[in-house]
Amino acid sequence: MKKAIQLKLLVCSLLMVPGSAKVVFTGTSSIGSGSSNTSTTGSVDVGPSSRSTTVECRRDNAVSYGFMKTLLLGNTPKFTVANGKVIIDMPTRVSACISDISAEAITNPVDNNIYLKFDVQVDSSAYPAGSDSIEKEYEKCMNHLAGGDPNFFKVQNLIDKGHLASPSRITIDHPNIDQSRNSELVIASTNKDLDYRDDMPFGLASVAQHTSFSKPSFNCMDFAKPAERKIMANTTPEYDLREEAIAACNGKNLTDIADSLKKLRSSSGGNYDDLTRLLSGIQHSLIEDEVEEMVTRMEEIERDIAPSAEDIENGDEYGVSRDKRKELLREYANHMNKFSKELIPALKSELEHLMTEYDELGESTEDERRKDQITDKIQEINDLIAKFNRQNENGAEYKRVIAALREENMQTSGRKVLTGIIHAQEFSNVKLEGANKRTVDKAETNSDKAISRLERGTLADWGDEALLRAGDKSPLARRRKIIQGLQERAAKDRQQQQAKLSAYDDYIQSYAKDLVSSYCTSGGNYQDCMTVQSTYVPYIYNQYMGWKQNSMSDYNSYFNNRYGSAISEQRSTLGRFNNIYRTTQLNNLQSQLASASSGSPFDLWTGDTSSYSNGIPGFNLDLGGLGQTNFQTSNGWNGQGNFNLMGNQTRSPSSGNWSNPWQ
């Protein structure tokens, strides 16, 4: 898989390399000393263009970019192109044997690029100057200053002798460029048979490694990149999109690739079909590798946390220690968080694009074939996402993970895990057909709602359970208050409904009475009066009662859904909380009993035989008053601080009446 990705990255880089156009340069140039002029021609590739141009070129004092970087101790200048100027920030450079360094920029109207060349003047006063090339004259000057000392060329010696210049800036104007086209800064570098070595600090320090520059064959100009990355004077939106795609492609970052794909697909400025398909393929391959690695590790963690048969036999609920368990749970949660934060956004965007493309296809044979491909691709994505629905993939061991998170009240990690489960459940069902199908928007809405409920419900319960296990009863009081609030709101709601129906009852009765009164008047039509009383009024009542019955039925359904389920759920939670609290109290009691001294089973704390009439230390049991009533020394307590259940407790067998010794 990784080899396939590397191949796609290579193809990506090749795909995005623009075509080059041949530009021919002609002119006169000096050979060696420049005393003899010879007409020369040469051709080089200078960048994208559909036409060729002829530009005059002369060497003059121009030097190669390699030679220039030699003077800069092998370093590279910093270039900035802005507001019609080229700004060159020069690092520390050699000043010995150099009288001047300058630069010149021109704009090529064919490719709209800015071409910059460096000019260097050798200080002829520092040595017996000759008429060789600039490079050779510089070499002769440096050797003259060295005086045969091989250590002369060492940087520290040059610093000591004052032969290095501080960083400086060169600012030059350049002709206007076409703002509607891309424009790149290109270095015009002298073209020689032998380039000057930029890995040697100063000149030909070791002649054995170099060939003399006494007669370099200058053939107009060659071209070089000013820096590792392109320096652009102007860019078009299409160029920016492609460059961003290249960076995403080479960076192999899923978020960057997803963002780049989204921009390419939404752009109307160019046709990026090949590029988007390539990036989409790289994205899917990267995600497959990520999923395989993450899921494999999560399965290992699930197995580690689950108890073995031996652990269960020893009474252990988990397969690792508490500290190790918490470490593994945090790692597990981080994998789920990465799934939610990095994989889901990329996969969601891809699903959205595929489903949109499907909707736009027609019924031609080619479109139907593409529909089949899209359906298969969506299923592949669904299958990848479903692997993170751990309760389906590995239910029993997943439940053990959740139980451990709950027990330790690891709400942050729990939120990450459960959020990932929700995303997996929802987005694995984003598809075109089949049961439980849904759109991306629907899956997103469902996820947001479920995560919101998660915060208010499950995770809040974990916190309450932790308080209860610590002996804090406040969650019980809070839960009772919630139930009381629900009951009060439910009662108020029902009262309002009953008041509304009572008002309707009054209205119908008033309406029927007015109707009868309007027809059954003195001197009125008797037949009409009888018809209203025997037919119209009963009909109105029947219709109203039917509506009222339906209204009550609808209200009862609404009431049960809104209040009944909520109250039942809260009561169930309260019951569970009570059990947790009682179990905690019982466990604490058993721990105290287990750690007590080996004397009397009631001699748990101090061994003191004094009365515990004000309560036993360590227990919240109110025994106050028992010493004065129920338990007397002669009727239960034996005088040594022990209670004897077999004391004098008598009953009359003949009368059937108890003789109550505590009365």
Side-chain angles (χ1 to χ4, degrees), residues 488-504 555 558-559 562-563:
E488 290 174 353
R489 289 199 299 273
K492 184 178 180 181
D493 196 319
R494 186 171 288 281
Q495 289 172 359
Q496 290 174 344
Q497 174 68 8
Q498 290 172 344
K500 186 188 300 182
L501 291 177
S502 295
Y504 285 146
Y555 176 78
Y558 149 81
F559 185 90
R562 180 166 186 177
Y563 298 108

Side-chain angles (χ1 to χ4, degrees), residues 582-602:
R582 284 195 296 266
T583 301
T584 299
Q585 295 297 94
L586 179 59
N587 290 339
N588 290 340
L589 174 59
Q590 289 175 338
S591 297
Q592 292 170 357
L593 289 170
S595 61
S597 62
S598 58
S600 166
F602 288 93

Side-chain angles (χ1 to χ4, degrees), residues 362-600:
E363 298 180 358
S364 67
T365 302
E366 183 178 349
D367 283 356
E368 291 295 336
R369 183 163 52 249
R370 179 57 183 157
K371 285 181 181 179
D372 291 339
Q373 293 173 348
I374 290 174
T375 302
D376 292 342
K377 187 68 174 177
I378 289 175
Q379 186 59 54
E380 288 180 19
I381 295 175
N382 291 157
D383 292 342
L384 282 176
I385 295 174
K387 291 183 178 182
F388 289 88
N389 188 1
R390 301 307 303 157
Q391 63 183 14
N392 284 351
E393 293 291 308
N394 199 9
E397 293 182 351
Y398 161 77
K399 288 179 181 178
R400 185 75 63 175
V401 169
I402 296 300
L405 287 166
R406 185 174 196 158
E407 182 178 307
E408 297 294 341
N409 190 28
M410 297 176 66
Q411 294 190 43
T412 299
S413 294
R415 184 182 299 106
K416 294 174 182 178
V417 172
L418 295 174
T419 296
I421 296 296
I422 291 170
H423 283 144
Q425 290 173 339
E426 288 298 327
F427 287 98
S428 62
N429 283 304
V430 172
K431 48 192 174 185
L432 297 163
E433 54 191 17
N436 299 321
K437 69 175 183 178
R438 64 206 60 177
T439 64
V440 171
D441 289 341
K442 183 64 174 175
E444 198 156 20
T445 300
N446 291 348
S447 295
D448 291 343
K449 289 180 179 178
I451 292 168
S452 179
R453 290 194 299 270
L454 174 69
E455 296 285 347
R456 299 192 310 268
T458 302
L459 296 177
D461 286 356
W462 288 12
D464 284 345
E465 290 170 6
L467 291 174
L468 293 167
R469 285 192 293 269
D472 186 340
K473 294 196 296 184
S474 61
L476 298 177
R478 186 162 54 251
R479 196 64 53 169
R480 292 190 188 101
K481 188 174 182 180
I482 291 173
I483 294 173
Q484 181 182 355
L486 284 171
Q487 290 172 333
E488 290 174 353
R489 289 199 299 273
K492 184 178 180 181
D493 196 319
R494 186 171 288 281
Q495 289 172 359
Q496 290 174 344
Q497 174 68 8
Q498 290 172 344
K500 186 188 300 182
L501 291 177
S502 295
Y504 285 146
D505 289 344
D506 293 342
Y507 171 77
I508 291 298
Q509 289 177 1
S510 176
Y511 177 79
K513 184 177 180 181
D514 290 343
L515 184 64
V516 170
S517 298
S518 65
Y519 281 92
C520 300
T521 59
S522 177
N525 187 304
Y526 175 77
Q527 187 63 39
D528 288 347
C529 176
M530 293 303 294
T531 300
V532 167
Q533 291 186 23
S534 64
T535 303
Y536 287 173
V537 170
Y539 174 78
I540 290 171
Y541 274 122
N542 287 335
Q543 290 295 311
Y544 171 66
M545 292 306 294
W547 172 85
K548 184 177 180 180
Q549 185 175 2
N550 291 334
S551 178
M552 284 299 297
S553 177
D554 292 342
Y555 176 78
N556 287 334
S557 296
Y558 149 81
F559 185 90
N560 289 331
N561 288 334
R562 180 166 186 177
Y563 298 108
S565 299
I567 292 173
S568 296
E569 181 180 346
Q570 292 300 327
R571 283 174 173 166
S572 174
T573 301
L574 178 60
R576 189 175 76 252
F577 282 8
N578 273 318
N579 287 335
I580 292 173
Y581 184 74
R582 284 195 296 266
T583 301
T584 299
Q585 295 297 94
L586 179 59
N587 290 339
N588 290 340
L589 174 59
Q590 289 175 338
S591 297
Q592 292 170 357
L593 289 170
S595 61
S597 62
S598 58
S600 166

Side-chain angles (χ1 to χ4, degrees), residues 49 85 215 294 319 324 361 379 469 529 564 608 637 657:
S49 175
K85 297 184 181 297
K215 292 188 179 296
M294 291 165 65
K324 183 62 176 178
L361 293 172
Q379 186 59 54
R469 285 192 293 269
C529 176
D608 192 359
W637 294 99
N657 296 323

